[in-house]
Amino acid sequence: MLQQTNGRWGDRLPPGQIRTEKWPVLHAGTVPRVDLATWTFRIFGLVDAERTLTWPEFLALPKYEHTSDIHCVTTWSRFDNRWEGVAFRDVMNLVRVATEARYVMVHAEQGYTTNLPLEDLLQEGVMFALRHDGRDLTPEHGWPLRLVVPHLYFWKSAKWVRGIEFMAEDRPGFWEQYGYHLYGDPWQEQRYRDDPEWLGTGPTTEDYYRTIRSRVRRAMRESDTTTDQRP
């Protein structure tokens, strides 16, 4: 059921979005077949020593729960999603990350990637999810493991995650190479690279992030009092 509720849900529904109670399935390619006996999670890049976790090792990490809204770039939003998994911070703490690391490339099955500033991944609610609304993730929604970054458009919450790479300089991921926005703030409708701020800031992603960082951080601070209810 889709509901055009921008008026009623103005404080939670970003511009251009339509609320739904369903959870649409959207991804490029086919659902990968995953063998947990050979599954691994790799932590690499600007770290003191690369680390690779098996599935039992990943499951042994501390568990974390958080409820948040999600907003897809295709204009649907779903409220009050209850996620269970492992906080990004707890995965990051398994290695010593170099001080010059400011970005992360998330690597998933079938060569899919998405790029994010490290600072965003350290926010409340960001996790590697195992369960959604009390049930294990289904393969169509990213089983066995998906990233959840609730304050950005949902394509940044990559499905079927297999590793994270810490980087000093940013580079675009899969959809970002095909014209999607480098950052993806739903409240600013940062869907595609035709964003005026991107076009006017210069050739590098660092130039772009510098122009939007203060605005984005201010908005995130203002939402801190309700992080258990919405991104």
Side-chain angles (χ1 to χ4, degrees):
M1 177 184 298
L2 293 175
Q3 301 176 12
Q4 190 73 47
T5 52
N6 296 70
R8 181 182 177 187
W9 301 103
D11 61 335
R12 296 177 68 178
L13 194 66
Q17 296 294 109
I18 299 173
R19 185 190 176 201
T20 180
E21 296 178 3
K22 297 181 179 181
W23 190 6
V25 175
L26 297 168
H27 52 257
T30 59
V31 176
R33 293 185 177 183
V34 178
D35 181 359
L36 294 181
T38 59
W39 184 96
T40 57
F41 186 98
R42 184 184 177 204
I43 309 170
F44 64 108
L46 294 177
V47 299
D48 59 339
E50 182 176 319
R51 182 83 180 267
T52 299
L53 303 177
T54 64
W55 182 245
E57 288 172 335
F58 199 96
L59 286 183
L61 296 174
K63 298 304 184 293
Y64 174 66
E65 296 186 13
H66 186 83
T67 299
S68 61
D69 301 343
I70 56 179
H71 310 291
C72 181
V73 71
T74 60
T75 75
W76 61 264
S77 293
R78 190 179 190 274
F79 290 173
D80 298 321
N81 299 270
R82 181 162 55 90
W83 303 100
E84 302 170 58
V86 179
F88 180 89
R89 287 178 180 272
D90 287 332
V91 175
M92 177 177 169
N93 287 339
L94 295 174
V95 297
R96 183 177 300 172
V97 178
T99 56
E100 61 265 31
R102 292 184 295 168
Y103 300 95
V104 173
M105 185 69 75
V106 179
H107 294 262
E109 296 280 0
Q110 301 175 339
Y112 178 85
T113 56
T114 191
N115 59 305
L116 299 103
L118 175 57
E119 187 174 355
D120 284 86
L121 291 168
L122 298 176
Q123 299 300 318
E124 183 72 16
V126 177
M127 72 171 77
F128 296 102
L130 302 161
R131 294 168 60 82
H132 175 265
D133 285 351
R135 299 181 178 181
D136 290 346
L137 290 171
T138 63
E140 293 78 10
H141 286 299
W143 179 89
L145 193 71
R146 78 170 300 153
L147 180 66
V148 175
V149 186
H151 64 277
L152 299 179
Y153 277 127
F154 208 44
W155 91 79
K156 291 290 187 178
S157 297
K159 302 178 183 181
W160 313 300
V161 176
R162 295 293 301 272
I164 50 176
E165 177 187 2
F166 292 91
M167 310 181 297
E169 303 295 333
D170 193 25
R171 67 179 191 266
F174 176 83
W175 285 115
E176 294 81 10
Q177 292 180 57
Y178 284 94
Y180 276 56
H181 202 277
L182 287 170
Y183 186 71
D185 178 4
W187 296 95
Q188 301 297 323
E189 292 196 87
Q190 293 176 339
R191 304 177 193 272
Y192 308 109
R193 291 279 193 93
D194 57 359
D195 174 35
E197 290 180 337
W198 166 256
L199 295 174
T201 54
T204 69
T205 56
E206 184 61 31
D207 292 335
Y208 178 76
Y209 285 128
R210 188 179 298 112
T211 67
I212 67 170
R213 190 173 301 279
S214 62
R215 184 200 67 218
V216 171
R217 298 293 167 260
R218 182 172 62 253
M220 292 172 67
R221 285 195 299 271
E222 291 172 353
S223 69
D224 279 347
T225 58
T226 55
T227 52
D228 287 338
Q229 298 298 322
R230 61 185 175 90

